[in-house]
Amino acid sequence: MDQNLREAALEYHRLPRPGKISVVPTTAMATQRDLALAYSPGVAEPCLVIAKDPSQADELTARSNLVAVVTNGTAVLGLGNIGALAGKPVMEGKACLFKKFAGIDVFDIELAEENPDALIETIARMEPTFGGINLEDIKAPECFYIEQKLRERMKIPVFHDDQHGTAIIAAAAILNGLKLVKKDISEVRLVCSGAGAAALACLDLIVSLGLRRDRIIVTDVKGVVYAGRTESMDDNKARYAVKTDARKLGDIIQDADIFLGLSAGKVLTPDMVKKMARDPLIFAMANPIPEIMPEDALAVRPDAIIGTGRSDYPNQINNVLCFPFIFRGALDCGATTINEEMKLATVRALADLAMAEVPEVVAAAYKGEGLRFGRDYLIPKPFDPRLIEMIAPAVAKAAAETGVARRPIADMEAYRQRLGRFVYHSGNAMQPVFTVAKGSGKSLILAEGEEERVLRAAQVIADEGIARPKLVGRAATIEERIKAFGLRLRPGSDCEIIDPHDARVYSACADIYHARRKRDGVSAALALSEARSNATVLASLLLERGVGDAMLCGVIGRTADHLAAIRNVIGTRDEVRALAVMQMLILQQHQLFICDTHYNLNPTAELVAEIALLAAAEVRRFGITPRVALLSHSSFGSSAYPEAQKMRTARTIIRERSPDLIVEGEMRGDAALSQSVLDHEFPDSGFEGPANVLVMPNLDAANISYNLLRMAAGQGLTVGGILLGAAKPAHILTPSSTVRRIVNMAAVAVADAVSDRA
């Protein structure tokens, strides 16, 4: 890891508070009565109910949605036995993934204990606390024994993700790979490099799918696992020992159909790959350096199908594809274990999903990657929103069919729909935008290129491949500050500097500006002065000339001034009457888009409708289905004031222009965000809340609401301002923008440039 990434990782874990997780109450505790219900004396009642009927704990406590991520730190990532405390950042990270992808709460438990029996006893005693146990980073072979004994003792799911997660994803990829090359799983030969927990779990699961055990040969650091070998052997490894005179990987690779790598980088050579059978499947999962780099394998065998553990190559074998959703299904049906049938159901769900037609929302999220079943798409992408809808029901169904579900799910279709709604509340809204932006080859003009936050953001933008930064600012100043801040930006290589004092830059721009605004009182001299001194005017002119593909401004100065510059230079899209500004709030469980926060003081009904339609189109770019609420002080005709009538009229206009858009109003904010309030207010509305796009009746309402929510509920995490209606991709930040916000908005701007409308 290079020094810059090391420092960024440490800063990420230190700020805004140490660590990555927290515990927050889910009920109100604002009054004495609340305290009396939450604690003494009211808490005695649920205690008595649970004492009489333990199953009531599922209804009266958080246990049924709480998982323990447990480690003793003996095999943390590729770092080895670094101890329980040092493994805590990884466990917190795992907790974040559970919450982010499946809404599951987690306590991370780090136990300073290497004795397997003592560890088993400690974990087993925690059963009353948790609905499930995820064992993590426990070394082999002890992990096999620990999981087996815990599964025997505990009546809740126990899952060692290092084994089974990898096995499930790899098995799904192998199923689809064999289907693609038309090979029978019962006839193929598999060579496995590695004999640890993940490797052996992979082999066990693939055998369950039909691969014959006598068609498998395993190697480890000591060589081939052969019958009679005694060095570095254990009972689990011995199950795959075969009679053979071969002793090295190179001796057994001949005519192998599948290579399964869970060992070390570069152990598989191109010469070995040459010896494999036609259309070989190569899953080289060592990280960060695979057993063979995909390009090296393909250079000698263009017919190979390759998967790795890395996100920068196709067919990433990533545990996050399954473990959150397996636990989601298991918890929701009250499963007492995660059995073989539940794992196989997950394998088949993943394999089927990769072959299913990709819906528009997923295609938009991964635009340009060709999401069609084939050699580079054997398994779904980690951020495919359909994963939870496919896997959790499959797991719950298998649990019911095998008799381990305490609460079988009666209406599976209704359950699937509930899971689908969770996807769009889960906080993953930026991922589709980043996916579109990365690798697009677009350039991004940054108007305030001398600012420290902008330069630090430019480093991330370049590193992540989001865009090629074009920094507006004095060359000497920018180069000096790059050096002072310890950045790695190389002007002329991974970024460009556009010096506003360079006559070749500002003179051509000034001519365009004068031509545009000479009837607005802007003389040629004034145009020249503005082009040289106003960074946003210059950036807008550069964008208009095609010097860049998108632009960001606003880190310095008033939003109104930046809006005026963009309006005067870039203007609006065809048939759009006015610009508007939308802000995205990243809240705990979902996102809210609020508009118009900065431009239109008191828009007409026609303009409100236009803003709503522009906002809905932008929200779809985030992979989110817009549900638009037209807000007012009244709901559904309860007020005769003109302000309420305006929002009612706007709904009528929207319905005429876009009949398929989910829109409702006029309505109060509580009805927009609470389905129960909406059902009480207007049960026949047909609007399935909560809304995610809030269109306000005027600028004051929008701006005040946005800033209050940002500070009170959103912890200040925002994306914006997203400029709606501009003829080219230009967006406006604020002086309070953080580096993270600038990077997020860079992705939004570039995604706009990639889209057809830009």
Side-chain angles (χ1 to χ4, degrees), residues 13 20 69-94 109-114 135-140 143 160 162 197 287-288:
H13 283 79
K20 300 189 286 285
V69 173
V70 184
T71 191
N72 65 354
T74 53
V76 179
L77 302 177
L79 305 175
N81 188 350
I82 62 174
L85 182 59
K88 187 174 178 64
V90 179
M91 303 311 116
E92 287 189 356
K94 196 65 174 281
I109 309 290
E110 293 77 31
L111 299 173
E113 180 58 72
E114 293 194 24
L135 301 175
E136 192 81 11
D137 292 350
I138 300 172
K139 70 183 178 73
C143 60
H160 185 206
D162 297 326
N287 258 325

Side-chain angles (χ1 to χ4, degrees), residues 420-421 423-426 429 582-587 589-595 612 615-620 622-631 661-664 667 669 671-674 687-696 709:
R421 284 196 290 270
V423 171
Y424 301 106
H425 299 169
S426 62
M582 179 170 71
Q583 304 286 350
M584 171 183 168
L585 282 164
I586 302 176
L587 304 180
Q589 291 296 327
H590 61 283
Q591 294 79 36
L592 283 179
F593 297 84
I594 300 175
C595 51
E618 189 69 30
V619 167
R620 289 190 183 96
F622 288 82
I624 295 174
T625 300
R627 295 186 300 278
V628 180
L630 305 172
L631 297 189
L661 179 63
I662 302 171
V663 60
E664 190 53 277
M667 62 200 304
L673 298 179
S674 169
F687 186 71
E688 290 190 11
N692 50 29
V693 181
L694 307 182
V695 180
M696 304 288 179
L709 280 170

Side-chain angles (χ1 to χ4, degrees), residues 115-132:
N115 181 284
D117 291 311
L119 194 64
I120 291 165
E121 192 64 36
T122 302
I123 296 170
R125 290 175 184 271
M126 294 191 290
E127 183 169 349
T129 303
F130 298 102

Side-chain angles (χ1 to χ4, degrees), residues 91-164:
M91 303 311 116
E92 287 189 356
K94 196 65 174 281
C96 293
L97 296 177
F98 268 108
K99 188 67 174 180
K100 203 76 165 175
F101 285 94
I104 294 171
D105 296 318
V106 167
F107 290 162
D108 61 295
I109 309 290
E110 293 77 31
L111 299 173
E113 180 58 72
E114 293 194 24
N115 181 284
D117 291 311
L119 194 64
I120 291 165
E121 192 64 36
T122 302
I123 296 170
R125 290 175 184 271
M126 294 191 290
E127 183 169 349
T129 303
F130 298 102
I133 304 290
N134 185 96
L135 301 175
E136 192 81 11
D137 292 350
I138 300 172
K139 70 183 178 73
E142 289 91 334
C143 60
F144 300 110
Y145 173 70
I146 291 166
E147 185 189 42
Q148 178 188 341
K149 292 300 181 184
L150 288 173
R151 285 165 61 93
E152 291 171 1
R153 287 186 57 173
M154 303 180 80
K155 299 302 181 186
I156 58 175
V158 178
F159 188 78
H160 185 206
D161 183 47
D162 297 326
Q163 293 180 58
H164 307 301

Side-chain angles (χ1 to χ4, degrees), residues 704-718:
I704 292 169
S705 298
Y706 157 66
N707 280 298
L708 288 175
L709 280 170
R710 178 171 68 93
M711 300 310 299
Q715 289 123 18
L717 296 177
T718 62

Side-chain angles (χ1 to χ4, degrees), residues 310-316 358 362-383 431-440 754:
R310 293 172 47 146
S311 61
D312 53 345
Y313 289 100
N315 300 321
Q316 184 192 13
V358 176
V362 179
Y366 290 95
K367 188 172 183 179
E369 294 198 29
L371 301 190
R372 180 177 298 175
F373 177 62
R375 292 174 176 268
D376 291 339
Y377 185 63
L378 297 178
I379 48 177
K381 296 289 188 178
F383 284 90
Q431 183 59 34
V433 178
F434 274 99
T435 303
V436 170
K438 284 184 178 182
S440 66
V754 172

Side-chain angles (χ1 to χ4, degrees), residues 6 36 76 98 102 124 145 189 205 230 252 264 323 352 449 494 508 632:
R6 184 179 294 111
V76 179
F98 268 108
Y145 173 70
R189 285 189 65 246
L205 194 59
T230 58
I252 60 174
F323 74 80
D352 290 346
D494 49 15
S632 177

